[in-house]
Amino acid sequence: MPHDHRIPTGSSPLAVSRRSLLGRLALGGLALGTTVLPWRSAPAQTAAPSSRPLVRQPPQGEFVIRGGYVLTMEPGAADLPRGDVHVRDGTIVAVGESLAAPGAEVIDGAGFIVSPGLVDTHWHMWTSLMRNMANSVPGSGYFQVVTRTGSAFLPEHMYAGTLLSAAEAINAGITTVHDWCHNIRSPEHARSDVQALKDAGIRGRFSYGPYRPLSPRQPLDVADFTRLHDQWQDYENGGLLSLGLGWRGVQSVVQEPGGTAKLVPGDPAVYRADFDAARERGLPVSLHANSTPADHGHVAALERLGLLHEGFQVVHATHITPAEVEAMAKRGAVVTLSPFSEMTIGYGVPPVRAFLDAGVATGLSVDTTPLTGDADMMDIMKVTHNLFNGQAMSEFGTTARRMLELGTLEGARSLGLSAITGSLAAGKRADLIMTAIHDRSQGLSMTPVTDMAHMIVHSAGPGDVDTVIVDGRVLKRGGRLTAIDTEEVKRRAAAASDFVRSAAPG
């Protein structure tokens, strides 16, 4: 979630030598790829290794979805009440009515809303093994849980947590994710996390971040970050995955004895090493900033130092000033908001209206399921709509369709992916979902049929998402994941969670 810039007291990273770590991995049976990773489980609950493959990716092929209600989300394009979408080899060939597609497999779209896949713009995906552990009880705060339990993660646990998140994303209609990884304790931790994204077949950005509680005075492993960049052809999965930097910024909040918070400027030699490594390689940079009153003026400091730039992503920014919002708009910086986690952790109410009124490209975020419990982007769009209208003090402040833009095309734009995904148009990659309405829906909330965009934002949930297609591959059909063995993923994730919770320091 939330990335706290305080230096926790009494905490230290897991001390494991490279040789010791690799030995433990060999005992744990780590085997990367689209094959089996037999997780180590807690000693009291040893899970027998399984030969069941976790993922079998389907081919791309050629198909046409016929007769659906097509919400293209293309600017200026009208909805198609009985539209078709023709896909070949992962590319959208055409969107229209009564399309000629000889030889293509036909998918019946009648009774479905056909729309772009949803886009998540900031998610600490490895943390799913700690779902609901940040439970508002003193001693079990989010940062305490993530720091303590994260220290026990071996690389195979990174894989288990991230694959569980990716499966949940696909099930919920999220076809693009931004995996902001802040538990990279070794090169193997990073690569296991990326491998999970690759195996899942999801589109996304992997942001290489620091582990907690790495001091801001300690540099990121820049050598490994650049090495991963040089090796990226092994992980990019046909262009589905890209690399970015999860940066720590130019200032930190230090918790002093007695509980007072002190804002401390960062060391330029440390923060510029990370930043420059990314910028020299043309990689995007993302930063948790202005999340709390203590981290005030962070965006302003970036602007003074000339570091704010087009595409620079600011996370949370619940305590940003109007002048800082203006600076972001001027520089073309973007923001990602995660209203459920921001309010749950006590950061405050995200200033949705301020960013949208200023024209700052805004994406929406799952953030972290230890706090939010699930990965329901439709609920996130709904609460964002409510927040905007509440801040505008008007029922007519904005529309559900505008929120659907944040969850699709504008989210893609904020990640620099709008030429590839986020809307349905000829030439774009085929990332789309089919949401059941009326008789096709198993629930009651999608009847009667009224405003389609409003229904997705305010009535639909993951259970109404019948079909999910990423890069032309059908990853969910008939309400069930087709490529990922969900039962096996759940079994291994539960065993991995048992292990890290039992191994974490008390």
Side-chain angles (χ1 to χ4, degrees):
M1 136 155 223
H3 181 65
D4 175 333
H5 294 277
R6 295 172 294 178
I7 303 172
T9 57
S11 299
S12 61
L14 183 66
V16 182
S17 72
R18 181 175 175 83
R19 178 175 296 177
S20 170
L21 175 63
L22 292 176
R24 293 171 71 179
L25 293 181
L27 291 173
L30 179 64
L32 295 179
T34 54
T35 52
V36 180
L37 285 95
W39 311 124
R40 294 179 53 163
S41 61
Q45 302 198 5
T46 302
S50 168
S51 60
R52 289 170 61 177
L54 287 174
V55 183
R56 284 193 176 98
Q57 288 298 337
Q60 289 173 321
E62 182 178 6
F63 56 86
V64 59
I65 301 170
R66 291 209 181 275
Y69 191 101
V70 179
L71 284 169
T72 71
M73 302 310 293
E74 270 286 287
D79 296 348
L80 301 174
R82 289 176 295 279
D84 301 344
V85 180
H86 182 194
V87 174
R88 183 189 301 123
D89 297 330
T91 300
I92 297 175
V93 177
V95 179
E97 296 178 343
S98 302
L99 296 176
E105 176 189 354
V106 175
I107 296 175
D108 183 8
F112 296 97
I113 305 170
V114 182
S115 61
L118 302 174
V119 177
D120 168 86
T121 56
H122 153 248
W123 187 351
H124 306 297
M125 297 180 74
W126 69 277
T127 64
S128 67
L129 298 188
M130 298 171 281
R131 191 188 304 272
N132 296 318
M133 285 179 62
N135 57 12
S136 302
V137 175
S140 295
Y142 173 78
F143 294 110
Q144 293 167 310
V145 166
V146 171
T147 301
R148 182 175 63 246
T149 311
S151 69
F153 271 61
L154 297 173
E156 63 256 44
H157 305 128
M158 299 295 290
Y159 184 101
T162 299
L163 187 61
L164 176 61
S165 290
E168 187 176 5
I170 294 165
N171 186 62
I174 299 171
T175 57
T176 298
V177 295
H178 175 197
D179 182 9
W180 213 109
C181 188
H182 59 359
N183 198 40
I184 299 178
R185 296 172 176 274
S186 73
E188 291 82 6
H189 283 70
R191 285 149 183 80
S192 291
D193 195 292
V194 177
Q195 189 69 46
L197 297 175
K198 180 179 179 181
D199 288 354
I202 201 163
R203 190 179 304 281
R205 177 195 296 176
F206 173 80
S207 278
Y208 190 111
Y211 62 82
R212 296 189 52 79
L214 183 69
S215 164
R217 293 182 290 272
Q218 295 175 263
L220 191 72
D221 189 346
V222 176
D224 186 57
F225 173 57
T226 57
R227 185 163 55 248
L228 182 58
H229 171 258
D230 294 342
Q231 299 168 344
W232 197 247
Q233 69 276 5
D234 296 333
Y235 297 99
E236 51 88 25
N237 200 19
L240 278 173
L241 300 179
S242 60
L243 179 64
L245 172 68
W247 195 40
R248 290 171 293 171
V250 300
Q251 62 187 42
S252 300
V253 178
V254 178
Q255 206 72 27
E256 295 188 314
T260 58
K262 180 181 178 182
L263 191 63
V264 177
D267 180 350
V270 173
Y271 68 67
R272 285 305 300 248
D274 304 356
F275 183 87
D276 291 345
R279 293 291 284 161
E280 288 167 2
R281 289 160 179 79
L283 301 179
V285 179
S286 176
L287 167 69
H288 295 70
N290 294 68
S291 303
T292 66
D295 190 33
H296 61 83
H298 207 150
V299 170
L302 297 173
E303 173 70 352
R304 284 195 306 272
L305 293 167
L307 301 178
L308 208 58
H309 58 267
E310 185 173 358
F312 184 106
Q313 186 192 61
V314 177
V315 181
H316 302 313
T318 40
H319 295 274
I320 197 166
T321 66
E324 288 174 304
V325 173
E326 183 180 348
M328 287 182 62
K330 178 181 177 182
R331 301 298 179 192
V334 305
V335 70
T336 176
L337 305 176
S338 54
F340 282 120
S341 65
E342 287 154 1
M343 291 189 288
T344 299
I345 202 170
Y347 280 1
V349 178
V352 178
R353 186 186 177 197
F355 284 115
L356 295 185
D357 284 354
V360 175
T362 301
L364 301 178
S365 158
V366 169
D367 194 356
T368 183
T369 53
L371 273 173
T372 64
D374 63 20
D376 188 340
M377 183 58 70
M378 292 165 175
D379 257 5
I380 294 170
M381 293 187 291
K382 179 177 181 176
V383 74
T384 305
H385 190 190
N386 295 344
L387 286 168
F388 187 102
N389 284 2
Q391 290 163 5
M393 292 185 288
S394 170
E395 178 186 356
F396 312 106
T398 191
T399 64
R401 185 177 289 261
R402 179 72 177 108
M403 296 301 102
L404 186 56
E405 288 175 358
L406 301 191
T408 56
L409 185 58
E410 187 157 335
R413 183 179 300 118
S414 76
L415 293 177
L417 296 174
S418 59
I420 297 171
T421 191
S423 65
L424 303 182
K428 284 195 169 185
R429 304 305 294 173
D431 297 346
L432 57 90
I433 63 175
M434 295 171 59
T435 306
I437 53 177
H438 196 40
D439 291 343
R440 294 279 196 164
S441 175
Q442 298 300 308
L444 299 174
S445 63
M446 299 300 281
T447 300
V449 176
T450 54
D451 181 282
M452 297 296 190
H454 208 99
M455 290 182 72
I456 290 179
V457 172
H458 283 271
S459 297
D464 298 302
V465 179
D466 176 271
T467 301
V468 177
I469 298 170
V470 180
D471 210 44
R473 291 184 172 89
V474 180
L475 302 186
K476 184 180 183 181
R477 187 79 176 108
R480 299 179 65 85
L481 299 190
T482 60
I484 297 175
D485 184 338
T486 54
E487 293 306 313
E488 187 69 3
V489 167
K490 289 191 293 183
R491 187 188 75 83
R492 298 184 192 192
S497 180
D498 287 346
F499 177 90
V500 296
R501 284 183 287 159
S502 66

